[in-house]
Amino acid sequence: EAREGDPYRNVGDVNRIKREGKKYIDTETGHNVWVRGNDVYIEAQDGTPISRFHNPRRNTQDRIRKGRWVPTSQESSNSSSDS
């Protein structure tokens, strides 16, 4: 689970994940979540790194579908694709 993950695990460049990824809010924790492909980066509202990990696309889509991760208004401006 992300809350118990290593916030410094190497899953790619965090700045690239944030710049190119889709942004969500975790409805259970309030944390910011960025997803770029299978790479996920999570940080607290104050910017403190929480976790980063590889997440299968199916798992990501499941979290979105169930309402755990909800897109922010920034998400729609970053990408016009739902893939």
Side-chain angles (χ1 to χ4, degrees), residues 5-11 48-52:
D6 178 357
Y8 303 103
R9 184 181 323 163
N10 184 11
V11 297
T48 303
I50 301 297
S51 186
R52 39 178 141 163

Side-chain angles (χ1 to χ4, degrees), residues 27-59:
T27 59
E28 292 183 8
T29 64
H31 296 320
N32 295 308
V33 179
W34 284 268
V35 178
R36 180 180 174 272
N38 289 338
D39 295 332
V40 176
Y41 173 67
I42 300 178
E43 70 180 20
Q45 292 289 330
D46 66 2
T48 303
I50 301 297
S51 186
R52 39 178 141 163
F53 54 95
H54 293 290
N55 199 39
R57 185 174 303 272
R58 178 182 226 165
N59 186 292

Side-chain angles (χ1 to χ4, degrees), residues 14-26:
V14 168
N15 292 321
R16 185 173 184 190
I17 295 170
K18 289 176 73 172
R19 183 178 63 245
E20 298 176 6
K22 295 180 181 180
K23 184 178 179 185
Y24 301 89
I25 299 294
D26 185 315

